[in-house]
Amino acid sequence: MLALQVKAFSLLIALLLIVDAIAFHGEYRGIVGEKLGNFFSAVSPAHWTGMGGGRDWSQPRH
């Protein structure tokens, strides 16, 4: 049963990629990728330690 579900899911993903390539030319992947990139950038530990951009949350404000 699991093998059938995996095959069906793989077929669905392949079909969606084909529809994307034909109809949307990959536009939504760029939009979704940008939003995911912004989210992961916001929650990355680099912002917590002061190593990256943003506020250093380990130090209180003066």
Side-chain angles (χ1 to χ4, degrees):
M1 185 67 180
L2 180 62
L4 181 62
Q5 290 175 340
V6 169
K7 287 179 185 177
F9 185 72
S10 299
L11 183 61
L12 176 64
I13 294 297
L15 180 64
L16 289 174
L17 288 174
I18 291 169
V19 169
D20 170 53
I22 294 170
F24 300 106
H25 306 288
E27 289 179 32
Y28 81 91
R29 278 183 283 142
I31 294 168
V32 170
E34 180 182 346
K35 291 193 182 301
L36 284 176
N38 290 341
F39 172 75
F40 285 119
S41 173
V43 298
S44 72
H47 290 287
W48 306 338
T49 61
M51 298 294 288
R55 184 175 183 273
D56 183 2
W57 293 98
S58 65
Q59 300 294 325
R61 288 191 181 216
H62 294 91

